[in-house]
Amino acid sequence: MRKLILIILSLAAFNSYAWQPTKVVEVVVPFPVGSGNDLVIRPLLDIVEKNTGVKFVVNNRPGAGGTIGTAYFSKLPNDGHHINVISVGGVAAMDYTWPGMFKNAAYGVNSFAYATALARTPIVIIANKKDTVDNSKDLIDIIIKDPKVVVADSGGAGRLGLESVLINVDIRKKNPNLVRVEHKGPAETVVDIMGGNVRFGSVPLVVAYPHYAAGNLKIVALTQQKKIEGLAISSFGDINKNIDVELVWGIALPKDTASEVVEWYARVFTEAKNDLKIKEYFKKNYFFDVPKELEDPKSFNKYVLDQEKLQKPIVKYIVETTPN
């Protein structure tokens, strides 16, 4: 009887909202299947569907560090039936990162309504399992000294993580022959690393970890100050106090979406994160909780805008070192 009452109360709570979707919701993921954005949203959608009865369909639209899919998303109607799984760093840096490709950019940091943050994870530098480099110090030594070194990034926050390393140790002046390549997403970077096509790459920890645990690649360093308990991986806090980048994912909607719509998405995804299956999934795969305040639309919106200001020095460096 008690269980039945709880179910009825739960359903009543969802139905008490003035708004909820009336048709299938399109979920734009601007990175390929297997990317961090993709891995964080799919299990959450399962829970939200179960809790609300609303149906979601995922639309992976990768390319140009997340900008292709997000540009597509920026043109969708703000009727509440389209959401975008963003990488905060990628969106916050868009106005500056793509000056040649997007002189008349389809969107900027103010082009969206931000609902809630979902999770966070470090950006890591990976290498082939046979590589001799094991830590952040050795990595920097090799990148400086090896005239043939090739590094790759997975776009968006992956590039911000890599460029944070390069700018803070002045790599391009010390090794002007450094070659950087950009992939459609982290899965492509992982494949190229394991195949020996590039020596180092930057990807989210949640993407690298399963391959690392299986012994298929090496995680050389975390692009943050703190080490992670239980993982014997070097951090850049060992050698440079300015390198501290993490990836935060969240839900965005088209600009001027009604506040009750934004709040509905914030609520249902926050509740989904509290599901025991999600908590176990996050813990197992190194998705970390975001601060509680970032689950609120107003606070999350402010966070994204603050990130735009924070990333300006890195993005200025990217613009100055990238041919138009």
Side-chain angles (χ1 to χ4, degrees):
M1 184 65 180
R2 183 173 180 272
K3 184 176 181 181
L4 178 61
I5 293 172
L6 289 174
I7 291 173
I8 292 171
L9 290 174
S10 177
L11 291 173
F14 279 113
N15 292 331
S16 68
Y17 270 76
W19 183 92
Q20 83 167 40
T22 56
K23 59 183 180 180
V24 174
V25 175
E26 178 186 13
V27 182
V28 177
V29 177
F31 287 91
V33 173
S35 65
N37 305 59
D38 191 73
L39 293 171
V40 75
I41 196 61
R42 289 184 184 269
L44 285 169
L45 290 176
D46 289 342
I47 301 300
V48 174
E49 284 190 347
K50 181 184 73 174
N51 288 346
T52 66
V54 175
K55 299 299 180 184
F56 296 83
V57 59
V58 176
N59 182 1
N60 292 89
R61 284 181 168 259
T67 58
I68 299 299
T70 307
Y72 159 80
F73 179 80
S74 69
K75 300 173 184 177
L76 296 178
N78 59 358
D79 61 2
H81 294 91
H82 309 274
I83 63 174
N84 187 9
V85 186
I86 64 165
S87 302
V88 171
V91 170
M94 162 64 201
D95 291 339
Y96 309 95
T97 308
W98 303 96
M101 185 175 179
F102 287 89
K103 289 181 180 178
N104 297 307
Y107 68 89
V109 72
N110 291 306
S111 298
F112 308 104
Y114 299 99
T116 187
L118 297 175
R120 59 188 175 86
T121 197
I123 299 295
V124 297
I125 306 298
I126 59 175
N128 187 277
K129 63 181 181 180
K130 296 180 180 179
D131 203 288
T132 58
V133 172
D134 290 313
N135 55 61
S136 55
K137 182 180 183 303
D138 291 346
L139 171 71
I140 295 305
D141 288 344
I142 289 293
I143 291 179
I144 290 173
K145 295 175 183 177
D146 185 352
K148 296 181 180 180
V149 70
V150 179
V151 296
D153 67 73
S154 53
R159 184 169 188 190
L160 290 176
L162 176 63
E163 296 289 2
S164 178
V165 174
L166 300 183
I167 190 173
N168 280 293
V169 294
D170 207 16
I171 291 292
R172 283 199 173 89
K173 286 184 180 179
K174 296 175 181 177
N175 184 0
N177 295 314
L178 174 76
V179 176
R180 185 197 67 83
V181 297
E182 183 162 315
H183 291 140
K184 289 182 179 180
E188 187 178 356
T189 304
V190 167
V191 169
D192 264 5
I193 290 290
M194 291 194 299
N197 299 316
V198 293
R199 185 160 185 186
F200 305 112
S202 62
V203 299
L205 173 60
V206 298
V207 176
Y209 180 74
H211 304 282
Y212 165 77
N216 295 326
L217 59 74
K218 180 180 290 188
I219 298 179
V220 176
L222 303 159
T223 63
Q224 63 180 34
Q225 293 296 297
K226 294 182 179 178
K227 296 180 181 179
I228 296 177
E229 185 177 353
L231 284 181
I233 298 173
S234 167
S235 81
F236 278 96
D238 296 332
I239 62 169
N240 190 295
K241 300 303 179 186
N242 296 318
I243 299 171
D244 200 11
V245 178
E246 68 176 0
L247 170 54
V248 175
W249 295 282
I251 299 292
L253 292 93
K255 188 176 182 179
D256 297 327
T257 297
S259 59
E260 61 264 29
V261 177
V262 176
E263 289 166 5
W264 185 87
Y265 281 103
R267 180 176 186 268
V268 297
F269 277 100
T270 297
E271 290 189 350
K273 288 193 301 178
N274 289 324
D275 187 277
L276 292 179
K277 289 182 179 179
I278 295 298
K279 287 183 175 294
E280 183 180 348
Y281 173 80
F282 276 16
K283 183 178 181 180
K284 180 180 178 181
N285 293 283
Y286 291 97
F287 291 95
F288 295 96
D289 290 335
V290 296
K292 285 294 181 183
E293 60 268 22
L294 296 188
E295 295 173 346
D296 173 74
K298 289 183 180 179
S299 296
F300 185 45
N301 183 78
K302 182 180 183 301
Y303 173 77
V304 177
L305 297 178
D306 288 345
Q307 283 296 304
E308 180 193 31
K309 297 175 183 176
L310 183 66
Q311 302 297 351
K312 278 187 177 181
I314 297 175
V315 178
K316 181 174 183 289
Y317 174 75
I318 293 174
V319 171
E320 291 174 349
T321 57
T322 301
N324 287 333

